[in-house]
Amino acid sequence: MTHLASTPSTLGCALLGLLARSPSTGYDLARRMQRPVGYFWSARHSQIYPELARLEQDGLVSHEVVDGAGPRPTKRYAVTAAGMEALRTWVATETEPQPVRDLETLRLWSVWTVEPETARGLVRQARVRHEDVLRAYEEELSALEGTPEARDRSHPAFASVLTLEGGVRTRRAAVEWCDWMLDRLR
Amino acid sequence: MTHLASTPSTLGCALLGLLARSPSTGYDLARRMQRPVGYFWSARHSQIYPELARLEQDGLVSHEVVDGAGPRPTKRYAVTAAGMEALRTWVATETEPQPVRDLETLRLWSVWTVEPETARGLVRQARVRHEDVLRAYEEELSALEGTPEARDRSHPAFASVLTLEGGVRTRRAAVEWCDWMLDRLR
DNA sequence: CCTTTCATGTAATGGGTTACATGATTCG
DNA sequence: CGAATCATGTAACCCATTACATGAAAGG
């Protein structure tokens, strides 16, 4: 009997979420973690491989060896029934508000210490960034919207549309905020 | 001569930003880190005390012993001229986009795996939270807006207004987004 | 031929949370 | 008289990043 499976770490649940959408190798998970998931969670391969091993020990994922180009055997992972259950439980579980870490705002909070021109540069830079991410969200959203899967509440695409819409809305608000600040800094 | 002062850590700069606004004890910094700074950066006292020691070693802050209720000498810290310069440099320095960690969105991204009623509960919960933070931002903002300091670009209150306005705008967008989702989940 | 992509791992280090430890004063 | 507040520190642990290590196949 395997040891009592406690709730996996957040990273573990992120990986379960990815694998529930489609089975992947660890390498592939690292790629998928960059975009579009990377906009709200990220991890490097050095963190992913040990986590996959832990998930497998707990019986939440399993792997089969497939053909691949690496020096070691290439493993394709998939969620097990227990893993799917763990994912569902995690999604439904109440979580207390996480501490936010927003470096951009932290710097802005000390902007009174620098020259107005420096401050404007800072805000302009932030605006460009928000706009870039906004565009990426919009592109991805327009690719999904209108498809029949996006309407099906039990289909991954439905959840993707929800999160992308949130990204679009908050980034749009951020761009408008930057414009508002630039106006105040004139 | 003290050893070459490299740029302090982000936490170090956060503390410099706090101390530049007003000198404090480590205990007080921990309190001030909860609200309102805590909305975009946070730290516990166990992290703050060693960081203060490091900053002092680099000559960026200094302390004087004052009367206090603790078992050890109570130290009031203040930024030095070098510390102020380091803060200004850090604010003006370009930073590459930080990886975002948004647990709420990560869970939402896997919402297709659960029942619609569970999904609605999740979004309702998120809405309450965003609204609570929004209200806190608005209160703090209304206390500052209209004061003469809020107009002075070299006064801390000016920067506070900028960040609070951003908080209000993004949280408002988030609440509207939740309503949009609840509509889609009907 | 050199770089990129596929592919999986480990080790060292840094950042952050939780828990341990201490002790005076104030308030209910 | 017990709990909360003031006040500072250390230790153990977890999470995450960077760097080290290996090697085949494909494309420019």
Side-chain angles (χ1 to χ4, degrees):
Chain A
M1 175 187 135
T2 57
H3 75 85
L4 206 74
S6 58
T7 317
S9 66
T10 306
L11 172 62
C13 292
L15 295 177
L16 289 176
L18 278 159
L19 292 174
R21 286 169 173 240
S22 69
S24 298
T25 64
Y27 182 87
D28 209 44
L29 287 170
R31 267 196 324 105
R32 293 172 68 194
M33 268 266 168
Q34 284 168 17
R35 189 178 172 266
V37 194
Y39 289 126
F40 44 89
W41 205 267
S42 63
R44 312 292 163 111
H45 76 271
S46 60
Q47 216 188 338
I48 291 170
Y49 289 117
E51 187 61 37
L52 282 171
R54 244 168 280 146
L55 290 172
E56 188 157 46
Q57 261 202 338
D58 291 347
L60 305 178
V61 301
S62 64
H63 79 262
E64 50 168 357
V65 173
V66 295
D67 280 2
R72 289 185 208 68
T74 298
K75 302 169 186 172
R76 165 166 289 119
Y77 286 88
V79 250
T80 63
M84 201 65 192
E85 200 43 47
L87 177 61
R88 272 194 214 101
T89 306
W90 174 73
V91 170
T93 301
E94 302 253 336
T95 44
E96 45 216 277
Q98 287 262 123
V100 181
R101 255 143 220 285
D102 185 343
L103 188 60
E104 204 87 61
T105 307
L106 182 64
R107 281 168 73 213
L108 195 67
W109 190 71
S110 288
V111 88
W112 60 277
T113 63
V114 300
E115 298 295 312
E117 184 44 45
T118 312
R120 275 190 289 272
L122 213 144
V123 176
R124 270 189 226 110
Q125 187 201 316
R127 193 192 190 279
V128 168
R129 267 178 206 174
H130 287 306
E131 225 178 16
D132 285 348
V133 180
L134 172 60
R135 239 177 284 258
Y137 277 133
E138 280 175 335
E139 265 173 52
E140 218 134 347
L141 186 58
S142 69
L144 280 178
E145 253 179 351
T147 64
E149 301 91 40
R151 298 246 154 170
D152 179 359
R153 285 185 305 261
S154 66
H155 196 279
F158 176 79
S160 292
V161 169
L162 293 191
T163 57
L164 288 169
E165 176 75 22
V168 167
R169 283 166 179 262
T170 49
R171 293 294 173 156
R172 254 207 271 269
V175 170
E176 282 164 26
W177 172 45
C178 287
D179 288 336
W180 178 87
M181 284 193 285
L182 286 171
D183 202 59
R184 282 235 160 173
L185 284 163
R186 283 274 125 228
Chain B
M1 179 185 134
T2 57
H3 75 83
L4 206 76
S6 56
T7 317
S9 66
T10 306
L11 172 62
C13 292
L15 295 178
L16 288 177
L18 279 159
L19 292 174
R21 284 168 174 242
S22 69
S24 298
T25 64
Y27 182 86
D28 209 44
L29 287 170
R31 268 197 323 103
R32 293 172 69 194
M33 268 267 168
Q34 284 166 19
R35 189 176 171 271
V37 195
Y39 288 126
F40 45 88
W41 205 267
S42 62
R44 311 292 162 111
H45 76 271
S46 60
Q47 217 189 337
I48 290 170
Y49 289 116
E51 186 62 37
L52 282 172
R54 244 168 279 147
L55 290 172
E56 188 157 47
Q57 260 203 339
D58 291 347
L60 304 178
V61 301
S62 63
H63 80 261
E64 50 168 356
V65 175
V66 295
D67 279 4
R72 289 185 209 68
T74 298
K75 301 170 186 172
R76 166 167 288 120
Y77 286 88
V79 250
T80 62
M84 202 64 192
E85 199 42 48
L87 177 60
R88 273 194 213 102
T89 306
W90 173 74
V91 171
T93 301
E94 303 253 336
T95 44
E96 44 216 277
Q98 287 262 122
V100 180
R101 255 143 218 285
D102 184 342
L103 188 59
E104 204 87 61
T105 307
L106 182 65
R107 281 168 73 213
L108 195 67
W109 190 70
S110 289
V111 87
W112 60 277
T113 62
V114 299
E115 297 296 311
E117 185 45 44
T118 312
R120 276 190 290 271
L122 213 143
V123 175
R124 268 189 227 109
Q125 188 201 315
R127 193 192 189 279
V128 169
R129 267 178 206 174
H130 288 304
E131 226 178 15
D132 285 349
V133 180
L134 172 60
R135 238 176 286 258
Y137 276 134
E138 280 175 336
E139 265 173 54
E140 217 133 351
L141 186 58
S142 69
L144 279 178
E145 254 178 352
T147 63
E149 301 91 41
R151 298 247 154 170
D152 180 0
R153 287 186 304 261
S154 66
H155 196 279
F158 176 79
S160 292
V161 168
L162 293 192
T163 57
L164 288 168
E165 176 75 22
V168 166
R169 282 166 180 261
T170 49
R171 293 293 174 157
R172 253 207 271 270
V175 170
E176 283 165 25
W177 172 46
C178 288
D179 289 336
W180 177 87
M181 285 192 285
L182 286 170
D183 201 60
R184 282 234 159 173
L185 283 163
R186 281 275 126 228

